[in-house]
Amino acid sequence: MTGPELAEAGRLLAAARRPVVFTGAGMSAESGVPTFRDAQTGLWQRYDPLELATPAAFRADPALVWGWYEARRHGVRRALPNPGHRAVAAIRARCPETVVITQNVDDLHERGGVPAPVRLHGSLFAPRCSACARPAPIPEDAAAPGDDAPPGDAAAPDGMPEPHAGPLTPPACAGCGAPVRPGVVWFGEALPSAALDAAVEAASGCDLLLTVGTSALVHPAAEIPLVAARLGAPVVQVNPVPTPLDAICAVNLRGPAGEVLPALVRAAWPDADAAWPDADAAWPDADAG
Ligand code: APR
């Protein structure tokens, strides 16, 4: 990432009044939450999504699937928002019309200062009945081994939350008694229509779209940056590696979100400290580049 690229992206951000920030798993990578497709560390490099992330997988083995999502939820609970999450909150603090759209199922945007991101793929913290869809409580009382680890101790050495690796019988719905399922969108399932409508509307009306940490391979979510570009909004990408979005981007910032986003906020607003939601959050100097 060169100075001129950061400066150009900063200029676009400073000029924006209705920015959209669109995030994927790379946004939380520096918090110790594994992505899905990164070589070696990505979840789908080690686990078969067809065994764990489809309605059929849940019907076939609810305990295997529930246990796996509970392990991920416990890993996320111990994770902390990184400077990238805080930079997104800083953008929203500067531009109140900012819409944050995420594919992530962790709660790090909320804990990083963005109260209500548009959630395209659901949340690990919104379990519901697999039959009647009745919301179910988060089984917090059923503390998992290793839960007493301090926040920030997000990941096992290789990045995967191992404290509760193994089948776990899902709770029964308080209403109809059917098994409770994770509140995430599985492969083959429709996205929540209200969230998708809100995302398309925001992308259609934005004057800048910042896409962060997504491989842009999973549709229909991956359409969102294309909607903005088709309607003439500049798109800025933050990702250490090229993605299918490169060609539609006005600027490609190659680097990790936790470093690039704070630098971008400073490039847009040199006095950004004033707008920083968490003054004592450590962040790198913008000129580090
Ligand atoms: N900062 C920014 N980007 C990063 C970082 C980082 N620190 N680390 C990795 N990345 C990038 C990778 O280069 C990759 O392009 O983040 C991207 C992560 O891609 P995926 O693992 O495919 O995650 P995502 O795009 O969010 O997946 C979309 O697929 O499995 C489903 O439902 C799941 O929401 C998910 C969807």
Side-chain angles (χ1 to χ4, degrees):
M1 178 182 58
T2 62
E5 287 166 336
L6 185 64
E8 172 57 9
R11 189 189 64 74
L12 291 169
L13 180 55
R17 290 297 164 266
R18 297 178 310 284
V20 159
V21 182
F22 177 70
T23 68
M27 181 80 234
S28 299
E30 292 150 272
S31 297
V33 179
T35 68
F36 294 91
R37 292 173 187 81
D38 280 358
Q40 278 90 44
T41 59
L43 291 172
W44 302 148
Q45 306 300 321
R46 282 185 280 169
Y47 300 90
D48 180 353
L50 296 178
E51 257 189 47
L52 290 161
T54 66
F58 185 72
R59 282 192 298 274
D61 193 340
L64 176 73
V65 173
W66 179 256
W68 190 69
Y69 279 93
E70 280 296 276
R72 288 180 56 196
R73 187 174 64 79
H74 286 291
V76 166
R77 266 183 44 167
R78 290 196 307 282
L80 290 173
N82 64 57
H85 293 105
R86 299 196 185 288
V88 173
I91 292 171
R92 192 174 159 277
R94 276 276 171 166
C95 289
E97 288 189 60
T98 301
V99 176
V100 177
I101 303 168
T102 191
Q103 299 168 83
N104 298 346
V105 292
D106 63 50
D107 64 345
L108 295 176
H109 274 307
E110 287 90 336
R111 286 196 271 145
V114 173
V118 175
R119 296 196 152 279
L120 292 176
H121 294 161
S123 164
L124 288 169
F125 298 87
R128 67 176 189 272
C129 175
S130 58
C132 71
R134 176 189 175 124
I138 294 175
E140 228 38 323
D141 49 8
D147 246 12
D148 49 7
D153 178 21
D158 59 1
M160 182 59 209
E162 297 294 350
H164 197 69
L168 191 63
T169 304
C173 169
C176 71
V180 168
R181 58 161 286 172
V184 302
V185 177
W186 282 325
F187 290 105
E189 290 190 314
L191 273 55
S193 55
L196 187 55
D197 293 349
V200 170
E201 189 186 332
S204 305
C206 76
D207 51 8
L208 171 73
L209 187 137
L210 188 54
T211 176
V212 182
T214 183
S215 58
L217 296 173
V218 176
H219 292 260
E223 299 283 324
I224 298 300
L226 306 179
V227 169
R230 267 199 300 269
L231 292 165
V235 177
V236 170
Q237 177 169 228
V238 177
N239 197 313
V241 302
T243 75
L245 293 174
D246 277 40
I248 67 156
C249 290
V251 184
N252 286 296
L253 300 175
R254 293 264 182 268
E259 292 174 21
V260 173
L261 290 175
L264 176 58
V265 167
R266 282 252 175 112
W269 303 290
D271 66 337
D273 279 348
W276 201 249
D278 183 330
D280 57 11
W283 64 325
D285 184 349
D287 303 325

